[in-house]
Amino acid sequence: QVQLVESGGGLVQPGGSLRLSCVASGSIFSINAMGWYRQAPGKQRELVARINSGGSTDYADSVKGRITISRDNAKNTVYLQMNSLNPEDTAVYYCNARIDGNNYGIDYWGKGTLVTVSS
């Protein structure tokens, strides 16, 4: 069982920056990977970035070079540093934690934090 709480969303001008945070609690040792997803109005939820237990990262092509995912194990926190934001980045951003069992997998989700990029 994992609980995820996101923070850091808000209104930012085009070209600006934001840093999102996700604090995990519960069965932290069971998490195999964590990531950030986003869902814009009228669109499906999509992967933004993810990081596994070994520190390997993966990014959506649309955010490469602009967005960085990182972690602080001591604080059980994952960050999403977002730079050079544009209106297309406007979405609700969700933190995700993946737990894999022998023959099952579970995804945990935070409530989301809204990022609005507008002048």
Side-chain angles (χ1 to χ4, degrees), residues 14-57:
S17 300
L18 283 176
R19 188 180 75 165
L20 307 182
S21 299
C22 174
V23 180
S25 61
S27 301
I28 305 301
F29 62 90
S30 299
I31 298 176
N32 299 110
M34 296 187 67
W36 287 93
Y37 291 71
R38 67 186 181 187
Q39 187 165 21
K43 297 183 179 180
Q44 295 184 332
R45 185 175 298 185
E46 65 175 353
L47 172 70
V48 178
R50 59 187 168 196
I51 184 168
N52 67 14
S53 59
S56 297
T57 59

Side-chain angles (χ1 to χ4, degrees), residues 41-82:
K43 297 183 179 180
Q44 295 184 332
R45 185 175 298 185
E46 65 175 353
L47 172 70
V48 178
R50 59 187 168 196
I51 184 168
N52 67 14
S53 59
S56 297
T57 59
D58 195 14
Y59 297 92
D61 289 340
S62 61
V63 305
K64 288 182 178 178
R66 301 189 298 115
I67 296 181
T68 302
I69 188 170
S70 62
R71 67 183 184 184
D72 186 335
N73 291 334
K75 298 181 179 180
N76 293 325
T77 301
V78 174
Y79 303 97
L80 191 71
Q81 178 66 49
M82 304 189 294

Side-chain angles (χ1 to χ4, degrees), residues 54-118:
S56 297
T57 59
D58 195 14
Y59 297 92
D61 289 340
S62 61
V63 305
K64 288 182 178 178
R66 301 189 298 115
I67 296 181
T68 302
I69 188 170
S70 62
R71 67 183 184 184
D72 186 335
N73 291 334
K75 298 181 179 180
N76 293 325
T77 301
V78 174
Y79 303 97
L80 191 71
Q81 178 66 49
M82 304 189 294
N83 302 319
S84 301
L85 291 167
N86 57 64
E88 287 68 41
D89 296 313
T90 296
V92 177
Y93 285 71
Y94 298 92
C95 184
N96 164 262
R98 176 73 175 183
I99 295 178
D100 295 321
N102 288 337
N103 53 12
Y104 70 94
I106 300 176
D107 283 301
Y108 292 90
W109 299 93
K111 295 181 179 179
T113 184
L114 177 63
V115 173
T116 302
V117 184
S118 176

